[in-house]
Amino acid sequence: MDEVRAARCYLAAVAEPPAPAVVAFVGRVGPVEAAERVRAGAVPGEVAKETSARREVVDVGAVAHAAREAGARLVIPEDRDWPSWPLLSLGNAMARGLSWAAQPLALWVRGAVGLADSLERAVAVVGARAATAYGEHVAGDFGHGLAAAGMTVVSGAAFGIDAAAHRGALAAHRNLSWPDGAELTVRGRTIAVLGCGVDVAYPLAHTTLLAHIANHGLIVSEYPPGVPAAKHRFLVRNRLIAALTSATVVVEAGRRSGSRNTASSAGALGKRVLAVPGPVTSAQSVGCHALLRTGTAELVESVADVLEAAGGIGEHLAEPPASPRRPTDGLNPEALRVHDALRPRKERDDTTIAAESGVPLTRTRAILADLELTGLATRADLGWRRA
Amino acid sequence: MDEVRAARCYLAAVAEPPAPAVVAFVGRVGPVEAAERVRAGAVPGEVAKETSARREVVDVGAVAHAAREAGARLVIPEDRDWPSWPLLSLGNAMARGLSWAAQPLALWVRGAVGLADSLERAVAVVGARAATAYGEHVAGDFGHGLAAAGMTVVSGAAFGIDAAAHRGALAAHRNLSWPDGAELTVRGRTIAVLGCGVDVAYPLAHTTLLAHIANHGLIVSEYPPGVPAAKHRFLVRNRLIAALTSATVVVEAGRRSGSRNTASSAGALGKRVLAVPGPVTSAQSVGCHALLRTGTAELVESVADVLEAAGGIGEHLAEPPASPRRPTDGLNPEALRVHDALRPRKERDDTTIAAESGVPLTRTRAILADLELTGLATRADLGWRRA
């Protein structure tokens, strides 16, 4: 491990994220000097607050060993694989005084694909753990559709919406073809961002799902291998899910769902926030409806809606679904009234039709002739019928 | 029947609504002269267009006879029972050039309660005929809750949402009490506004429902008794539903539902438009979601939401549903991290807790003492436990 990487590995393990003072300190003196001074305790007060608890405890060698065992690599801002562009939103937010938005000091990654590359077109699909069958259906459908359209799906690894979104994405296949005729079928790409080390199977029941994600996508965390899951870490992790994607879709959220936290982070970072409505009888849609009422989120109904909101400008434009056309659609109000006065099986004379429709008799006669031409009325012996 | 009433009865039967030229003509010369001149064919061209088809056909005596048979009365603008205040919105809209918003020339009414009185606090609950079980459940619930809160429910008489809203309102009971101790239980009040005569059972299957509504509320129409239902009349009727109420709630609406027409009329008349979201997998919620996306409607989830939007200012304020409180709700981020590092059954010493939480040891110790005071941590022989 080179000097810079070792320094960031140490700093990321010492400072519990978000660590705005350490991030600023690293920005001023560079990671190597920052790590040396943190280790020696020779740092300004704010930095000391964020580092004193673990500065003597962290063993970079042990962390590196655990990472090797887990097949995890460290991606740092000095790497080409660092997702600089999406994470810029955190830097901007911290510059505006939002200390929770401190950038990660480094990211631990498990999986065979590139991180920056995967995040070029990415959407977060998040929601309640206690999801309903409806929510899981929509999350799976969105995960599948987004991945099939070439978007990377980003979520946590919780039960409910998170898992359904990953499963949907993993079930998607994309056919890639090259100018020379070569073709390749690839699985949908999905990324799980964790609130614990990338080697920690949390929840335990998702051990297999996490292995699948690592095989076809990525598992990402700012916590070193071995760090256990904790409630506050999920909230801190949520800012990463929001930052790494261009839009966050909340599929289901209860009144106190952590997804609302992800959504407000996304909003504060200038990302699009999208919410799926649901039955008003469902406690798991209350959070989504709250986001919609306050104008925090835009309503999405379909993968096409999400692609339109999340894709590059003009890249995906959801076509408004065609309204079914009726034969009477082109008629003006008077003609509609005359048409309504016709009966399918009973002939009526033009005077009756005029009185029934309230349209003057001469106009009624002209309209009936028009309706005959367009095939909407039939002339019969004793009058007119609807065709 | 007095002269004015007979004149309006004649005009309302001659001119198919909306009849902006006739309404303006009556405004200029009064109903009696207007009726005489229409009958004689001595009217300006625009008025002639709206009256020529039926001016010789209408028999006021026959209309009055049919009305007596049906137990219907004619309410005219000259009556105290005329709902002038709600209908003002139509007058204003017509003054802005919206000819579809022409006021009714008169209203036919069946039922034992006052019209103007019933419409003092009224909400329209409308929606698709092909409603889902979800939509009917919500419409029934809203109809019941609004009527129980003293609001008059206004709708059509169609299958689906309309019928469910009326049934909900009819099932509601209100207890009224007077200062002298007298008490009375009354049924919820509901009004069906029809696109046919008030004596026409349309749809036929709603004969009993319409009778119930007439017994406890009102059946209202601008069409004279005997006038058959017609598609264009439902669209014209929709402006009345919108005008007679302070808010229109769309419970379910397909892509082409007539309820979207009622909603846009209500919007154009300056009334509140409210829409209930539903599953994105339901074709019957597509119209509601479209109203929400375009900002035409506001999202409502409950009777309380509707009362807040439709009630007088400050009359009904929906209390934000209380978020369930957790014992850790008051903790600052550092204290939360320390609390997360505690285990319920395993004691940990303060150094371990500090390292796990990343909070400096001295702060960790102070926080642990605080947590003990608030009952969230327990001090034990070998360290600390979560309480």
Side-chain angles (χ1 to χ4, degrees):
Chain A
M1 206 187 273
D2 65 56
E3 200 184 16
V4 174
R5 197 169 303 274
R8 288 215 174 251
C9 176
Y10 170 76
L11 290 167
V14 168
E16 179 75 24
V22 175
V23 169
F25 187 55
V26 170
R28 281 200 304 277
V29 305
V32 177
E33 184 183 334
E36 275 166 16
R37 288 179 53 185
V38 164
R39 201 175 264 121
V43 289
E46 288 303 305
V47 178
K49 272 194 198 163
E50 290 176 5
T51 51
S52 69
R54 295 191 201 133
R55 67 182 177 87
E56 293 173 347
V57 184
V58 168
D59 174 354
V60 172
V63 173
H65 178 76
R68 269 195 305 276
E69 292 284 302
R73 64 186 188 274
L74 188 68
V75 178
I76 57 174
E78 290 78 7
D79 290 334
R80 293 184 71 169
D81 201 22
W82 183 255
S84 323
W85 178 247
L87 290 176
L88 198 60
S89 56
L90 289 175
N92 292 339
M94 204 169 90
R96 291 202 313 278
L98 303 177
S99 60
W100 59 264
Q103 294 215 8
L105 287 156
L107 288 171
W108 290 97
V109 176
R110 262 177 75 200
V113 296
L115 178 63
D117 176 52
S118 300
L119 290 168
E120 249 173 51
R121 293 149 45 82
V123 177
V125 179
V126 300
R129 275 173 296 176
T132 68
Y134 164 68
E136 294 196 358
H137 168 81
V138 172
D141 192 46
F142 278 31
H144 187 275
L146 291 168
M151 301 292 281
T152 298
V153 173
V154 176
S155 192
F159 292 117
I161 300 301
D162 289 10
H166 288 305
R167 291 199 173 102
L170 288 170
H173 287 85
R174 292 181 67 210
N175 291 310
L176 303 178
S177 57
W178 279 262
D180 66 0
E183 292 203 358
L184 179 66
T185 299
V186 294
R187 284 230 204 185
R189 194 165 287 184
T190 199
I191 296 181
V193 184
L194 308 187
C196 54
V198 293
D199 58 337
V200 176
Y202 184 89
L204 197 61
H206 280 172
T207 307
T208 313
L209 176 64
L210 285 163
H212 276 301
I213 295 172
N215 277 340
H216 301 283
L218 292 172
I219 296 179
V220 172
S221 174
E222 57 185 326
Y223 302 101
V227 169
K231 255 182 278 175
H232 68 88
R233 293 197 176 115
F234 290 112
L235 291 174
V236 169
R237 179 275 318 261
N238 288 345
R239 87 188 192 295
L240 280 190
I241 293 181
L244 292 172
T245 53
S246 60
T248 293
V249 187
V250 185
V251 177
E252 277 193 323
R255 198 168 293 289
R256 292 210 31 156
S257 172
S259 316
R260 289 178 69 177
N261 169 264
T262 312
S264 32
S265 305
L269 297 176
K271 312 281 184 161
R272 300 286 283 265
V273 184
L274 312 171
V276 177
V280 297
T281 46
S282 163
Q284 295 306 334
S285 287
V286 168
C288 289
H289 295 157
L291 290 170
L292 292 170
R293 290 175 87 161
T294 54
T296 312
E298 303 159 65
L299 190 151
V300 287
E301 286 187 293
S302 63
V303 171
D305 291 348
V306 178
L307 287 173
E308 184 177 349
I313 294 161
E315 205 174 344
H316 294 280
L317 278 178
E319 279 194 38
S323 289
R325 294 281 299 169
R326 291 177 190 153
T328 51
D329 271 358
L331 300 183
N332 65 35
E334 270 191 339
L336 264 180
R337 278 157 58 174
V338 170
H339 185 262
D340 273 359
L342 294 171
R343 293 291 165 269
R345 270 175 296 271
K346 201 175 130 196
E347 292 163 25
R348 285 184 153 181
D349 61 33
D350 43 18
T351 325
T352 311
I353 294 167
E356 158 65 18
S357 65
V359 174
L361 184 59
T362 47
R363 284 286 303 141
T364 298
R365 286 185 180 136
I367 289 168
L368 285 167
D370 281 349
L371 291 176
E372 188 181 22
L373 282 173
T374 51
L376 290 168
T378 311
R379 199 188 297 255
D381 295 342
L382 300 169
W384 295 82
R385 273 203 315 270
R386 188 178 292 186
Chain B
M1 205 187 273
D2 65 56
E3 201 184 14
V4 174
R5 195 167 304 274
R8 288 218 174 249
C9 174
Y10 170 75
L11 290 167
V14 168
E16 179 75 24
V22 175
V23 169
F25 187 56
V26 170
R28 280 199 304 277
V29 304
V32 177
E33 184 184 332
E36 275 166 16
R37 288 178 53 184
V38 164
R39 202 175 266 122
V43 289
E46 288 301 306
V47 178
K49 271 195 199 161
E50 291 176 5
T51 52
S52 70
R54 296 191 201 135
R55 67 182 178 88
E56 293 173 347
V57 183
V58 168
D59 174 354
V60 171
V63 173
H65 178 75
R68 269 194 305 276
E69 294 284 302
R73 64 187 190 273
L74 188 67
V75 177
I76 57 174
E78 290 78 9
D79 290 333
R80 294 184 69 170
D81 202 21
W82 183 256
S84 322
W85 177 248
L87 290 176
L88 198 60
S89 56
L90 289 175
N92 292 340
M94 204 168 91
R96 291 201 315 275
L98 303 177
S99 60
W100 59 264
Q103 295 216 5
L105 287 155
L107 288 170
W108 290 97
V109 175
R110 263 178 74 201
V113 296
L115 179 63
D117 176 53
S118 300
L119 290 167
E120 251 173 48
R121 293 150 45 82
V123 178
V125 179
V126 300
R129 275 173 297 176
T132 67
Y134 164 68
E136 296 196 357
H137 168 83
V138 172
D141 191 47
F142 278 30
H144 186 275
L146 291 168
M151 301 292 281
T152 297
V153 173
V154 176
S155 191
F159 292 116
I161 300 301
D162 289 11
H166 289 305
R167 290 199 174 101
L170 288 170
H173 288 86
R174 293 181 66 211
N175 293 309
L176 303 178
S177 57
W178 279 264
D180 65 359
E183 292 205 356
L184 180 65
T185 299
V186 295
R187 282 230 205 184
R189 194 166 286 183
T190 198
I191 297 181
V193 185
L194 308 186
C196 55
V198 293
D199 58 337
V200 177
Y202 184 89
L204 198 61
H206 280 172
T207 306
T208 313
L209 175 63
L210 285 163
H212 276 301
I213 295 172
N215 277 341
H216 301 282
L218 291 172
I219 296 180
V220 173
S221 175
E222 57 186 326
Y223 302 102
V227 169
K231 253 182 280 175
H232 68 88
R233 293 197 175 114
F234 290 113
L235 291 174
V236 170
R237 180 273 320 259
N238 288 346
R239 86 189 191 295
L240 280 190
I241 292 181
L244 292 173
T245 53
S246 59
T248 293
V249 188
V250 184
V251 176
E252 276 193 326
R255 199 168 292 288
R256 291 208 34 153
S257 172
S259 316
R260 288 178 69 177
N261 169 265
T262 312
S264 32
S265 305
L269 296 176
K271 312 281 186 162
R272 301 286 284 264
V273 184
L274 312 171
V276 177
V280 296
T281 46
S282 164
Q284 295 305 333
S285 288
V286 168
C288 290
H289 295 157
L291 289 169
L292 292 170
R293 289 175 88 161
T294 55
T296 312
E298 303 158 65
L299 192 151
V300 287
E301 287 188 293
S302 64
V303 170
D305 290 347
V306 178
L307 287 173
E308 184 176 352
I313 295 162
E315 205 174 344
H316 295 281
L317 279 180
E319 280 193 38
S323 289
R325 295 281 300 170
R326 291 176 191 153
T328 51
D329 271 358
L331 299 184
N332 65 34
E334 269 191 340
L336 264 180
R337 278 157 57 175
V338 170
H339 185 261
D340 273 359
L342 294 170
R343 293 290 164 267
R345 270 175 296 272
K346 201 174 132 196
E347 292 164 24
R348 284 183 154 182
D349 62 35
D350 44 17
T351 323
T352 310
I353 295 168
E356 159 65 20
S357 65
V359 174
L361 185 59
T362 47
R363 284 287 303 141
T364 299
R365 286 185 181 140
I367 289 168
L368 285 168
D370 281 349
L371 292 176
E372 187 181 22
L373 281 174
T374 52
L376 290 168
T378 312
R379 200 189 297 256
D381 294 344
L382 300 170
W384 296 81
R385 271 203 316 270
R386 187 178 293 186

